[in-house]
Amino acid sequence: MAKVIEGLYYSESHEFVKVEGVFGYIGITDYAQHALGNIVYVDMPDVDDDVEVGEEFGAVESVKAASDLNSPVSGKVVAVNEALEDQPELINQDAFANWIIKVELSDKSELDQLMDAEAYDKFCIEEA
């Protein structure tokens, strides 16, 4: 069973948001990395790019498939996880520790549209 962490926000497309103040760290969930298999490449936006809730901001490629990354929130990209450029497999080792982008949130009320850990866990069980 995939790991789900309390206190994070989750989207139906299997991205998570970890909120710290006005910033959100966005990555893919443990469930998503298990479904993808061995990740070989992460396509990330540039710092200062804007992301919009529900819109694509990059992609994750594995040996099995490529999957678009959809932003669960809107905001400005203030950092990308540069470690993933050389070691995309870090996501397979610990998806939650290896966020993909850090955004300055433009509308924290968007978080209300996302699932909490309990709801996401049920969502994954129903999807499996």
Side-chain angles (χ1 to χ4, degrees), residues 30-105:
D30 192 51
Y31 181 92
Q33 72 83 16
H34 276 293
L36 283 165
N38 293 332
I39 294 170
V40 295
Y41 179 72
V42 181
D43 179 35
M44 296 178 274
D46 294 322
V47 170
D48 290 332
D49 280 1
D50 289 318
V51 294
E52 293 292 326
V53 68
E55 290 188 8
E56 184 183 323
F57 70 84
V60 175
E61 294 178 21
S62 72
V63 291
K64 291 198 289 190
S67 182
D68 291 338
L69 297 167
N70 296 305
S71 188
V73 291
S74 301
K76 181 186 282 276
V77 178
V78 295
V80 297
N81 188 344
E82 293 177 4
L84 298 177
E85 291 173 7
D86 295 324
Q87 295 179 286
E89 68 278 2
L90 289 171
I91 293 174
N92 292 121
Q93 293 167 17
D94 188 339
F96 293 114
N98 292 287
W99 52 273
I100 296 170
I101 60 172
K102 177 182 177 182
V103 299
E104 185 171 353
L105 301 169

